[in-house]
């Protein structure tokens, strides 16, 4: 296990020096306690401001992205439901899911690179796009035909592209390697709260069926879109800038300097002009670390996307009414939230990632196997969704933190986090097309695909850990034959990987 060194609090020895030239150990101790107390306060301040702001942003994004599954379940099989009212073809729902992710994936990295340039402050960049996304979300409830729905969802994908990757990038720039892992869990669990509450909202909004001449599924889109627009105002007002120029209401100058120094001690100098920042963009784009961790995330996200998009439909087909099915999804998401908190917290405390990811994948496998063999009893198949949730959702924040901990430099972080979120979400192209309506309720293609990608994910994580161990051994061998100056330059570009 690679050890992450925390920055040692700086003690002003001149202030602690006595008149006879000796050191006042009491003064040194008091100064050390004051510095540690300051570090705790600054950590709490970031936890209470940055993580909730980024988390609420992600909650609404995830809610707006996944509410189409709840909207479909509200009127499944009804001529006034989503599919019936818009005269969607048999594969129309799948296409509506896929078209969102085409611009979403393509725009992730360019959007994060624009954010990294800092020409537009993060609060305007993220808050403005969130407002546009909310307006488009409302438009989903106003479209009159299937083509209009596809056009709106394509635009939603384009405007949402920068938001989840930008939020994860902001968290990466504010926390040390070790502290980041648990914050990614908090952040990601905000996202899980989106579909959790979406089921509850869908249940409540169904009562608005026919109000104002609109079907219930239309009100679901309109109300959730209005919520997004409303929250975007607070993102514009309160989202912090990057650490080195954080607003004074958030961090005082000496607090800002202290956080920046801690971040540099953890990740290395990430200011413009450092050796790692001068790496050309093409070299960042082909970096093996980014693609290895992204493939692990991709395999995991196949399950996450399947649970998100099809669990309401599957629950309806298990015999529950569409109304009850909305509520039945809530415990599934709640189990994922609890598991994510617990597993990520333990992983962060022991500073290990691989065993926890592999253990989570085993739970994921159990869920897919139950679905694939098609146990007839509805309760057993419902339990399988819990195994999939508990196994899937702890992996995602740990993988985000793992990639972040193994990258150095703002350019690497901007591209790496965007690539993981962007390409990782390509899993939605798969999950959106393998659950074939004609195969209901067995969905052999969908369940087999999910099972295969879960197995592939297990081998990718295992192979990735082994590769990091080998790379660390080669690094230590190379350093042993270098001079001090060469070693310092080498350590700026090549650091010890964390496992």
């Amino acid at each position: 296990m690679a050890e992450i060194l925390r920055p040692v609090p700086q003690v002003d020895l001149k202030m602690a020096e006595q008149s006879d030239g000796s050191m006042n150990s009491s003064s040194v101790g008091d100064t050390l306690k004051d510095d540690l107390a300051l570090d705790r306060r600054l950590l709490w301040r970031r936890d209470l401001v940055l993580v909730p702001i980024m988390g609420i942003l992600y909650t609404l994004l995830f809610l707006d992205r996944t509410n189409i599954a709840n909207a479909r379940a509200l009127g499944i099989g009804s001529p006034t439901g989503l599919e019936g009212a818009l005269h969607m073809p048999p594969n129309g729902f799948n296409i509506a899911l896929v078209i969102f992710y085409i611009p979403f994936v393509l725009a992730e990295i360019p959007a994060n690179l624009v954010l990294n340039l800092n020409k537009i402050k993060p609060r305007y960049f993220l808050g403005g796009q969130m407002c546009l996304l909310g307006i488009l979300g409302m438009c989903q409830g106003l479209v009159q035909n299937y083509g209009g729905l596809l056009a709106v969802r394509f635009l939603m994908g384009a405007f949402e592209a920068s938001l989840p990757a930008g939020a994860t990038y902001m968290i990466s720039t504010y926390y040390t390697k070790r502290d980041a892992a648990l914050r990614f869990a908090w952040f990601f669990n905000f996202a899980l709260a989106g579909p959790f509450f979406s089921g509850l909202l869908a249940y409540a909004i169904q009562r608005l069926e026919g109000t104002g001449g609109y079907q219930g599924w239309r009100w679901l889109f309109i109300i959730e879109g209005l919520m997004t627009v409303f929250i975007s105002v607070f993102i514009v007002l309160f989202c912090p800038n990057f650490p080195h120029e954080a607003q004074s209401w958030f961090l005082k100058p000496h607090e800002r300097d202290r956080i920046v120094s801690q971040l540099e001690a953890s990740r290395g100098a990430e200011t413009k002009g450092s050796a790692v920042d001068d790496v050309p963009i093409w070299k960042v784009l082909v970096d093996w670390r980014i693609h290895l961790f992204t493939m692990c995330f991709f395999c995991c996200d196949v399950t996450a996307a399947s649970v998100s998009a099809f669990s309401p439909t599957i629950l309806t087909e298990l015999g529950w009414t569409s109304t009850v099915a909305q509520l039945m999804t809530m415990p599934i998401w709640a189990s994922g939230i609890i598991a994510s908190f617990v597993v990520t917290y333990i992983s962060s405390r022991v500073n290990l990632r691989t065993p926890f990811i592999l253990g989570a994948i085993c739970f994921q496998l159990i869920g897919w196997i139950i679905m694939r063999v098609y146990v007839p009893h509805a309760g057993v198949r419902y339990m399988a969704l819990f195994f999939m949730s508990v196994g899937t959702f702890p992996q995602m924040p740990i993988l985000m933190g793992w990639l972040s901990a193994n990258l150095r430099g703002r350019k690497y972080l901007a591209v790496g986090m965007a690539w993981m979120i962007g390409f990782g979400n390509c899993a939605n192209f798969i999950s959106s097309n393998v659950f074939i309506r004609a195969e209901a309720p067995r969905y052999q293609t969908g369940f087999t695909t999910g099972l295969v990608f879960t197995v592939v994910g297990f081998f990718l994580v295992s192979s990735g850990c082994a590769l990091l161990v080998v790379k660390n051994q080669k690094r230590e061998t190379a350093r042993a034959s270098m001079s001090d100056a060469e070693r310092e330059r080498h350590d700026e570009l090549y650091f010890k990987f964390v496992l």
Side-chain angles (χ1 to χ4, degrees):
M1 178 179 69
E3 185 170 350
I4 305 300
L5 298 178
R6 293 183 177 275
V8 178
Q10 298 298 311
V11 179
D12 192 340
L13 299 180
K14 290 184 179 180
M15 295 295 294
E17 188 175 353
Q18 301 184 53
S19 58
D20 61 356
S22 62
M23 300 301 295
N24 185 333
S25 59
S26 176
S27 298
V28 173
D30 291 343
T31 304
L32 182 60
K33 289 179 181 178
D34 290 342
D35 288 340
L36 292 175
L38 174 62
D39 291 340
R40 286 193 293 269
R41 288 198 303 272
L42 294 178
L43 187 60
W44 270 106
R45 193 177 306 167
R46 282 172 282 172
D47 290 345
L48 293 175
V49 174
L50 182 71
V51 175
I53 288 176
M54 296 296 108
I56 291 172
L57 180 151
Y58 202 19
T59 297
L60 291 171
L61 299 185
F62 215 82
L63 189 150
D64 288 340
R65 184 192 307 175
T66 59
N67 58 13
I68 191 171
N70 296 99
R72 180 198 195 194
L74 279 176
I76 192 167
S78 168
T80 61
L82 173 68
E83 294 174 297
L86 299 182
H87 306 292
M88 295 170 64
N91 64 340
F93 181 73
N94 302 71
I95 295 173
L97 294 177
V98 169
I99 200 167
F100 172 91
Y101 289 99
I102 295 173
F104 180 87
V105 171
L106 295 176
E108 284 274 10
I109 292 178
N112 245 19
L113 289 174
V114 171
L115 180 61
N116 180 52
L117 291 175
N118 204 24
K119 300 295 184 182
I120 305 174
K121 299 303 178 187
R123 61 196 184 109
Y124 297 121
F125 189 75
L126 299 177
Q129 294 204 57
M130 186 175 179
C131 180
L132 292 172
L133 181 65
I135 294 172
L136 289 168
M138 287 188 289
C139 290
Q140 287 184 111
L142 302 174
V143 296
Q144 298 302 312
N145 53 60
Y146 178 51
L149 177 67
L150 294 182
V152 170
R153 288 193 61 79
F154 183 88
L155 292 173
M156 286 181 66
F159 283 108
E160 187 179 325
S162 65
L163 297 175
T168 55
Y169 175 46
M170 288 292 292
I171 293 175
S172 298
T173 62
Y174 263 97
Y175 289 97
T176 62
K177 294 179 181 181
R178 187 167 188 171
D179 290 336
L182 186 58
R183 277 71 193 179
F184 277 122
W186 293 352
F187 167 76
F188 190 75
N189 282 336
F190 272 99
L192 299 186
F196 175 84
F197 288 112
S198 184
L200 182 61
L201 282 171
Y203 174 76
I205 290 172
Q206 189 174 25
R207 300 174 182 271
L208 295 176
E209 179 72 33
T211 302
Y214 291 131
Q215 296 100 336
W217 63 267
R218 293 186 182 275
W219 279 114
L220 179 64
F221 287 133
I222 292 169
I223 291 174
E224 292 183 358
L226 280 171
M227 290 169 51
T228 303
V229 173
F230 177 74
I231 296 297
S232 69
V233 176
F234 294 91
I235 301 296
V236 172
L237 292 175
F238 299 111
C239 178
N241 294 327
F242 289 114
H244 62 281
E245 53 181 33
Q247 300 95 315
S248 58
W249 65 264
F250 180 46
L251 295 174
K252 299 294 187 293
H254 72 283
E255 296 171 337
R256 182 178 60 213
D257 293 342
R258 185 165 186 82
I259 288 177
V260 170
S261 67
Q262 289 177 335
L263 293 171
E264 290 183 351
S266 170
R267 298 181 179 276
E270 296 180 350
T271 56
K272 186 174 179 58
S274 64
V276 71
D277 195 61
D278 289 337
V279 174
I281 189 65
W282 69 264
K283 194 169 184 178
V284 179
L285 289 171
V286 299
D287 191 281
W288 64 271
R289 295 168 295 180
I290 294 174
H291 297 290
L292 171 66
F293 288 110
T294 297
M295 286 305 301
C296 296
F297 190 92
F298 179 93
C299 292
C300 173
D301 202 29
V302 169
T303 303
S306 299
V307 172
S308 173
F310 289 96
S311 58
T313 301
I314 291 172
L315 291 174
T316 302
E317 291 168 351
L318 287 178
W320 288 291
T321 65
S322 62
T323 303
V324 175
Q326 305 295 336
L327 296 179
M328 296 293 283
T329 63
M330 294 176 64
I332 298 171
W333 293 105
S335 66
I337 291 172
I338 294 170
S340 182
F341 267 126
V342 173
V343 175
T344 309
Y345 176 77
I346 299 173
S347 172
S348 178
R349 293 291 293 178
V350 301
N351 200 23
L352 266 178
R353 296 144 191 87
T354 308
F356 294 96
I357 296 177
L358 294 178
I361 292 176
C362 291
F363 279 90
Q364 196 178 344
L365 279 170
I366 293 173
W368 280 117
I369 290 171
I370 293 174
M371 288 295 194
R372 181 62 185 86
V373 299
Y374 191 73
V375 178
H377 195 279
V380 176
R381 296 181 67 197
Y382 183 51
M383 181 184 66
L385 292 173
F386 282 90
F387 275 107
M388 293 161 70
S389 176
V390 168
T392 300
F393 296 118
Q395 293 179 57
M396 305 181 87
I398 296 177
L399 286 168
M400 287 181 184
W402 199 6
L403 175 61
S404 173
N406 282 306
L407 296 177
R408 177 182 288 181
R410 287 180 56 178
K411 187 182 294 184
Y412 270 101
L413 283 172
V415 173
M417 303 313 292
W419 187 261
M420 172 174 274
I421 296 294
F423 184 78
N425 273 285
C426 285
N428 288 272
F429 293 130
I430 295 176
S431 64
S432 299
N433 289 288
V434 295
F435 286 87
I436 302 168
R437 189 73 175 270
E439 294 182 351
R442 289 182 175 270
Y443 293 111
Q444 296 97 327
T445 303
F447 295 148
T448 301
T449 302
L451 181 60
V452 168
F453 273 99
T454 303
V455 173
V456 171
F458 187 94
F459 285 104
L460 281 175
V461 172
S462 303
S463 302
C465 180
L467 181 59
L468 294 179
V469 171
V470 172
K471 291 286 185 179
N472 280 340
Q473 292 174 344
K474 289 183 177 179
R475 174 185 179 274
E476 294 304 315
T477 301
R479 290 179 79 254
S481 60
M482 293 179 181
S483 64
D484 290 341
E486 291 173 332
R487 190 176 294 121
E488 182 178 351
R489 174 71 176 179
H490 180 270
D491 289 349
E492 189 176 354
L493 290 173
Y494 308 100
F495 59 95
K496 193 172 185 179
F497 297 123
V498 298
L499 307 178

